[in-house]
Amino acid sequence: TGALADGTKTRFYIAYFFKIANGRIVDLETWYDRKGAEEQAQAISREMNARGVNEESRGGRGGNDATEIEPFAVSVSEAQITDLNERLARTRWPDEIPAAGWDYGTSLAYLEELCAYWRNGYDWRGFERRLNAFPQFVTAIDGQRVHFIHARSPVETAKPLIISHGWPGSIVEFLEIIGPLTDPVAHGGDAADAFHVIAPSLPGFGFSGPTGERGYTTRRIAAAFAILIFDALQLACLLY
């Protein structure tokens, strides 16, 4: 799990979700204080009940309908790309002490080279195609828009797995590993190691948000992801 994300956080998310998916809200005191764990479990339970997520609604009955989870594709207008290029071209560069390099902050030469790459070398449309090769969706959880990739494995017995980036970061970090996780056989692995992958953008990152309030701590995000994995499982029942 350490290769996917920060080891501790990855183990927390996976253990948390699998215990909930087996029909019970877990006690989180292994990671957090008891009071915080109880409050979070109650909050998760309330929202799951509001969404119709319970023993009777699993398997595609009840829960989210098609209007609550919407397909998403990255599509940035040509006008936005042109505007970015124009603003980069108008950059007012600061002076720099001769041969300062990185001694007093970012190297001016490095920053100029980076901006030139963004203007003239980066293939945004190619990146859009690469990202849009994965099924993406948006939904609302805890009052916030959440964007996520939901890549289903061809192996029917695959287990659901949620992978999360950190601060800073994005789901782009996972584009190279989603294939091996969902279809290990095609990458020289064993079908028993297959996963249905859910890769959300953290609230306020990428295409999630923007967040409209303070307080999105690791605990609150974990609670939102606990709900998201149920949403993704019900989405699979609707689409596959």
Side-chain angles (χ1 to χ4, degrees):
T1 58
L4 301 181
D6 174 85
T8 301
K9 292 181 180 177
T10 301
R11 286 193 295 272
F12 166 75
Y13 290 142
I14 293 173
Y16 188 38
F17 292 134
F18 281 143
K19 288 183 180 179
I20 292 178
N22 287 333
R24 55 194 175 92
I25 300 297
V26 300
D27 184 346
L28 304 182
E29 68 174 339
T30 303
W31 296 277
Y32 297 119
D33 61 281
R34 176 177 292 276
K35 180 176 183 294
E38 291 173 351
E39 291 175 351
Q40 199 60 67
Q42 291 169 4
I44 293 170
S45 181
R46 286 194 298 271
E47 182 143 0
M48 285 180 175
N49 289 335
R51 286 169 174 258
V53 179
N54 49 46
E55 292 296 332
E56 290 71 31
S57 69
R58 293 195 180 103
R61 299 186 301 275
N64 289 339
D65 58 33
T67 64
E68 292 179 329
I69 300 179
E70 300 177 356
F72 177 86
V74 180
S75 179
V76 175
S77 71
E78 197 63 38
Q80 289 174 303
I81 295 175
T82 299
D83 176 67
L84 174 59
N85 288 335
E86 290 174 350
R87 284 186 285 125
L88 290 172
R90 293 194 302 269
T91 301
R92 297 176 60 185
W93 300 106
D95 295 328
E96 184 179 64
I97 298 173
W102 292 81
D103 292 346
Y104 297 98
T106 303
S107 162
L108 179 59
Y110 175 87
L111 195 56
E112 288 176 332
E113 181 182 356
L114 178 62
C115 285
Y117 168 68
W118 272 104
R119 287 186 61 206
N120 305 313
Y122 186 75
D123 182 7
W124 176 258
R125 296 305 179 197
F127 173 74
E128 280 188 349
R129 291 190 294 271
R130 184 183 176 204
L131 190 55
N132 288 335
F134 297 96
Q136 300 169 75
F137 303 88
V138 291
T139 189
I141 300 176
D142 192 17
Q144 302 297 324
R145 168 183 157 116
V146 176
H147 161 262
F148 62 100
I149 289 175
H150 182 206
R152 186 171 173 80
S153 172
V155 181
E156 289 301 319
T157 56
K159 297 179 176 65
L161 172 69
I162 191 164
I163 52 180
S164 174
H165 62 83
W167 290 267
S170 79
I171 57 171
V172 176
E173 299 169 18
F174 304 132
L175 298 187
E176 297 294 334
I177 65 171
I178 291 175
L181 286 171
T182 56
D183 193 1
V185 174
H187 294 80
D190 191 326
D193 297 324
F195 292 95
H196 302 304
V197 173
I198 302 101
S201 299
L202 294 182
F205 284 72
F207 301 103
S208 286
T211 51
E213 60 184 274
R214 298 185 179 189
Y216 268 84
T217 61
T218 52
R219 181 180 293 156
R220 189 171 178 183
I221 291 172
F225 285 1
I227 295 162
L228 176 62
I229 200 168
F230 274 114
D231 288 352
L233 292 173
Q234 293 192 54
L235 176 67
C237 294
L238 293 171
L239 297 181
Y240 303 103

